[in-house]
Amino acid sequence: MPLAPADDAFADTLRALLPDDTLRRAEPRYLEESRGRWQGSSTWVALPRNTDDVATIVRHCAASRAGIVPYGGGTGLVGGQIAPEGQPLVLSLERMTAIRATYPEENTLIAEAGAILSDIHDTAEAMDRLFPLSLASKGSARLGGLLSTNAGGINTLRYGNARNLVLGLEAVLPDGSVWHGLRRLRKDNTGYDLRHLLIGAEGTLGVITAASLALSPRPASTGTAFLTVPSPRAALDLLALAHDQLGETVSAFELIHRQGMDFLASELPEIRRPWGTPPEWCVLIEIGLGRGADPTAALETLFAEALDRGLSDDGLIASSDTQAQQFWDVREHIPEGNRRIGSISSHDISLPLSAIPDFIVKATEALNAMDTFRINCFGHLGDGNLHFNVFPLEGRTRADHAHQREAIKSCVHDLTHAMGGSVSAEHGIGRLKTDDMTRYTDPVKLAAMRAIKSALDPAGIMNPGAVLP
């Protein structure tokens, strides 16, 4: 049975149940996404101020059989925040931005789902603590969306994905009931863990309204370095060496290909690059040490050993916080350089670490057999997450290769799957990869997911069309 539209008659009834100015006509920003692949069909957006408002909205949608698209910062890259058909209600958490409580002695804070990631960082820093989830869109990404997609980012190597940083959740389930799960416990084995069910569900099982977040001590000192490497295989060997020498103090280990540097040079020349002539491959390393340790000396020792082993022949160690930020500006602006060039097909994949070098070679060879492309391969090497993106040659556009897009994606994803990897490492499934769910997901897992969805959301109102094909 199809869902009912959240149309003007629906809005008139719902408006009477809510405070003034909770419902608005949907502005274009709620109906567009950064890559222009989908145009939303919604007419109305709800902007609740608290969890009770969210519960009222969801109960009305459940009674009316109207769809709901939860909306965070709108920074998703797989269309999870945009519904191109069916006229569902957009439910934006942008007004629910409060930091409800802080517990420095517990290394914990409680934030609402609309809180912007950089504001959570600032709150943690004021407590002399660290909330380690970090990514380029931290100034606009909101907590609810980050948890709903189980975001990763640059510090996953040391601290884990979003789900590793959450102690408890408050959420509104598809019938409008509120799960009061904002616990601050490190150990709680009382039955099924609904927290981990909702994290990564992309709004298809409920609406996260707040979370208890686990903080970490701030490193007393940090060190950042760019080191050249002759190949991805050497980068992996360097990662192993870094772990041998520095243990769990390695916070980030990013692999960067020359193509990304070239895109920055042409599209964002104001971004200061570490080398005038970029190496074919390099890695960006960050370490965080305790009191009394010297990160510069630690990185110098690492580089000296890497030099002796032939794993690197050049390196730059940041001499100040300003220079360290300049290094990170390079990494964080690579996606923007990509966007300005315009990819034919972008791939957010993960692989077993030992398979990465062979994958890069095999995928490049397979694509070159199809046509001639520019490939920008970069990502979080420490946790096996690659962004393997395919671009037209200079002077051509992605429109020239539109007829090849599906074949390119299938080539990359088939090889990823065959080598034991995942076709969705950190951006989620959204609407972009629902066909991939059918093609690559274990059928037993897919059946279990459908059963869970049917049990919690029998009418299918929560983010219809996302995640499950």
Side-chain angles (χ1 to χ4, degrees):
M1 182 176 178
L3 295 176
D7 55 15
D8 290 356
F10 165 94
D12 287 343
T13 305
L14 179 57
R15 186 181 290 108
L17 305 175
L18 295 166
D20 291 344
D21 196 35
T22 302
L23 281 184
R24 295 180 183 176
R25 291 278 178 181
E27 302 168 26
R29 66 188 177 97
Y30 297 108
L31 307 176
E32 300 167 349
E33 54 89 37
S34 60
R35 296 182 180 179
R37 294 184 176 178
W38 294 275
Q39 178 69 36
S41 63
S42 301
T43 302
W44 292 94
V45 56
L47 297 101
R49 293 174 173 83
N50 54 53
T51 302
D52 287 343
D53 287 352
V54 177
T56 297
I57 293 164
V58 175
R59 279 196 299 271
H60 183 68
C61 287
S64 305
R65 291 184 56 86
I68 303 171
V69 178
Y71 192 92
T75 60
L77 297 176
V78 292
Q81 74 277 32
I82 301 292
E85 56 188 27
Q87 204 175 344
L89 178 71
V90 176
L91 177 58
S92 172
L93 280 295
E94 65 195 74
R95 285 176 168 168
M96 295 179 59
T97 61
I99 305 295
R100 292 187 184 174
T102 60
Y103 303 90
E105 69 280 8
E106 298 179 12
N107 284 337
T108 305
L109 67 78
I110 297 177
E112 292 184 334
I116 291 175
L117 180 57
S118 59
D119 292 338
I120 295 173
H121 288 169
D122 291 343
T123 301
E125 184 174 0
M127 299 163 60
D128 195 29
R129 301 292 187 271
L130 173 72
F131 183 60
L133 179 63
S134 186
L135 56 164
S137 59
K138 61 188 176 185
S140 54
R142 298 182 186 275
L143 179 62
L146 293 167
L147 300 186
S148 292
T149 54
N150 188 30
I154 60 175
N155 291 324
T156 301
L157 172 62
R158 182 170 183 176
Y159 298 100
N161 284 349
R163 71 170 66 253
N164 300 97
L165 307 173
V166 177
L167 302 176
L169 291 178
E170 176 188 86
V172 177
L173 300 184
D175 63 356
S177 61
V178 179
W179 173 42
H180 298 284
L182 282 178
R183 310 192 76 176
R184 309 193 307 274
L185 303 177
R186 260 65 177 181
K187 290 185 175 181
D188 180 9
N189 286 327
T190 51
Y192 302 149
D193 196 332
L194 299 185
R195 166 188 52 158
H196 287 305
L197 190 60
L198 291 171
I199 294 172
E202 300 185 48
T204 62
L205 300 178
V207 182
I208 294 172
T209 52
S212 299
L213 303 177
L215 309 180
S216 295
R218 296 182 63 81
S221 57
T222 60
T224 308
F226 261 122
L227 302 183
T228 65
V229 289
S231 67
R233 178 71 65 188
L236 277 180
D237 291 341
L238 179 57
L239 173 62
L241 177 63
H243 275 146
D244 286 345
Q245 289 192 2
L246 300 166
E248 296 304 312
T249 67
V250 182
S251 302
F253 197 94
E254 300 287 307
L255 179 69
I256 298 174
H257 184 247
R258 174 191 52 78
Q259 189 64 74
M261 298 282 195
D262 289 346
F263 285 171
L264 287 181
S266 66
E267 303 302 314
L268 294 162
E270 68 274 16
I271 300 300
R272 186 173 180 177
R273 297 175 304 284
W275 292 279
T277 301
E280 188 71 11
W281 295 97
C282 64
V283 295
L284 177 61
I285 306 172
E286 183 165 288
I287 61 174
L289 304 181
R291 297 182 187 279
D294 183 349
T296 299
L299 288 170
E300 288 173 347
T301 300
L302 175 65
F303 174 64
E305 182 69 19
L307 192 64
D308 287 345
R309 296 189 185 192
L311 303 178
S312 179
D313 61 10
D314 193 11
L316 297 168
I317 299 173
S319 59
S320 65
D321 290 344
T322 298
Q323 190 176 30
Q325 185 56 56
Q326 289 172 347
F327 286 2
W328 277 110
D329 283 345
V330 171
R331 170 61 182 87
E332 292 177 349
H333 281 86
I334 287 175
E336 176 61 19
N338 287 349
R339 189 189 68 79
R340 295 189 185 193
I341 294 291
S343 72
I344 304 167
S345 185
S346 297
H347 313 99
D348 164 44
I349 60 175
S350 63
L351 292 144
L353 291 185
S354 62
I356 287 174
D358 286 345
F359 169 85
I360 293 173
V361 171
K362 290 179 179 180
T364 301
E365 289 175 348
L367 291 171
N368 285 338
M370 187 184 304
D371 204 337
T372 305
F373 304 108
R374 290 181 291 179
I375 297 173
N376 188 12
C377 175
F378 67 102
H380 318 304
L381 184 65
D383 56 53
N385 180 190
L386 291 182
H387 302 294
F388 193 86
N389 300 339
V390 182
F391 297 82
L393 293 180
E394 192 171 359
R396 306 193 72 187
T397 69
R398 62 182 176 184
D400 297 326
H401 298 275
H403 63 289
Q404 296 172 304
R405 181 173 294 121
E406 285 302 313
I408 292 169
K409 186 184 82 166
S410 294
C411 174
V412 174
H413 284 181
D414 285 353
L415 182 59
T416 299
H417 181 68
M419 297 182 73
S422 168
V423 301
S424 178
E426 66 176 357
H427 292 159
I429 296 297
R431 290 169 175 81
L432 178 65
K433 298 182 180 180
T434 52
D435 289 342
D436 292 331
M437 284 288 288
T438 300
R439 184 167 184 171
Y440 303 112
T441 301
D442 181 284
V444 173
K445 175 182 176 179
L446 194 59
M449 289 176 62
R450 290 189 184 281
I452 293 167
K453 173 71 170 174
S454 179
L456 291 181
D457 183 20
I461 67 170
M462 298 305 306
N463 212 0
V467 182
L468 284 169

